[in-house]
Amino acid sequence: MSEAYLATLFGLKGKVAVVTGGSGVLGAAMSAGLARAGARVAVLARRLEPAAAVVAAIEAEGGEGLALSADVRERAQVEAACAAILDRWGQVDILVNAAGGNMPGATLAPDATLDNLDPEAFRAVFDLNLMGTLLPSLVFGQTMIDAGGQGTIVNISSMAAQRALTRVAGYSAAKAAVDNLTRWMAVELARRYGPGLRVNAIAPGFFVGEQNRALLLKPDGTHTARGATIIAHTPAGRFGDPGDLVATLLWLCGPGAAFVNGVVVPVDGGFAAFSGV
């Protein structure tokens, strides 16, 4: 299979991609993958220094990047970031909504009762994951509309959206809302502005990041009880590697997926397919 043919399916040369939460473990891997496929990549994070480190790595490989500080819960900050990207490159073709996460108060400890769930923390997790997906989609989606209705948005969901997982109440509900928002926006944008605007999502399985490391791994690197249970229910027999998300992301963003809209693709080592029996 020729490189020229692969480029017609997955190539992103000349495209401009924006990755929110781009300094996180998964966001950084996806930013690097987009750059390697030829895209110019704007890396958005709440703190500029980690975003700049991701961009430095992209540029060390010959890619082109832009580090920006923005809180995805604040529309004015997202709009300022969008303006900076348009000033630099004049377009936005791809948005990856990778910003998100959990908070302790929205998580139930194994011995906790329901009234230990903090409604304010629950609300904060919704703001980060749902509003933090909606606001960038509105801002950057408008630039895609203004450019003639061409572009793609990829949201980052979770296995927690699809199946009831113990403890992570707020995060699960918020990511389920992201799944619904993905389908709703896919339908509305295509109906109103044409099939050149697509919205899809990736639902990662279990990947080790800073927020969940202590839940999944002991200090010596062996599995906690929860981590061992997850591995036992993952046919692949391991946690995901951040690079495992890149091929799916490139497919959804590339020209070969022009007829793919409104889907949530699991990248989970078979976790969602396995009944446990």
Side-chain angles (χ1 to χ4, degrees):
M1 189 177 294
S2 71
E3 290 186 12
Y5 177 64
L6 288 175
T8 67
L9 298 176
F10 306 107
L12 301 178
K13 187 175 181 179
K15 302 294 185 182
V16 172
V18 180
V19 182
T20 71
S23 65
V25 172
L26 301 187
M30 291 187 286
S31 295
L34 290 164
R36 289 168 185 152
R40 293 164 286 178
V41 183
V43 179
L44 271 63
R46 277 184 288 179
R47 294 189 298 119
L48 186 61
E49 293 82 1
V54 175
V55 168
I58 288 172
E59 292 178 340
E61 294 185 352
E64 189 175 353
L66 176 63
L68 294 166
S69 173
D71 187 330
V72 293
R73 297 166 294 186
E74 300 293 336
R75 183 164 185 160
Q77 293 186 30
V78 176
E79 289 174 340
C82 183
I85 295 164
L86 293 176
D87 184 63
R88 174 77 172 268
W89 290 318
Q91 66 193 70
V92 173
D93 306 289
I94 296 163
L95 170 64
V96 181
N97 282 308
N102 202 0
M103 297 179 185
T107 302
L108 279 180
D111 58 349
T113 59
L114 190 60
D115 62 359
N116 293 125
L117 190 64
D118 181 356
E120 291 307 311
F122 196 100
R123 191 192 314 274
V125 169
F126 252 80
D127 280 347
L128 177 58
N129 291 279
L130 180 58
M131 298 306 294
T133 295
L134 175 64
L135 292 179
S137 297
L138 294 177
V139 172
F140 291 106
Q142 188 60 51
T143 70
M144 298 174 187
I145 293 167
D146 294 342
Q150 296 293 320
T152 183
I153 298 172
V154 178
N155 298 325
I156 303 304
S157 180
S158 170
M159 280 297 101
Q162 302 180 21
R163 305 184 68 176
L165 304 181
T166 59
R167 303 188 62 180
V168 288
Y171 183 75
S172 297
K175 287 299 189 181
V178 169
D179 281 7
N180 187 275
L181 179 67
T182 296
R183 298 184 180 99
W184 184 87
M185 290 195 72
V187 171
E188 288 301 308
L189 289 178
R191 287 178 63 245
R192 292 175 182 271
Y193 305 107
L197 275 174
R198 299 182 296 111
V199 185
N200 294 292
I202 297 173
F206 291 87
F207 291 71
V208 179
E210 293 310 312
Q211 289 191 349
N212 67 357
R213 184 177 300 275
L215 285 173
L216 302 179
L217 298 175
K218 299 177 183 177
D220 63 3
T222 59
H223 298 146
T224 62
R226 187 176 180 85
T229 299
I230 289 166
I231 295 299
H233 288 77
T234 302
R238 64 175 176 87
F239 295 123
D241 180 271
D244 291 330
L245 299 175
V246 172
T248 301
L249 176 65
L250 297 183
W251 166 59
L252 290 174
C253 293
F259 202 53
V260 180
N261 197 22
V263 304
V264 180
V265 183
V267 181
D268 64 348
F271 180 88
F274 185 36
S275 69
V277 177

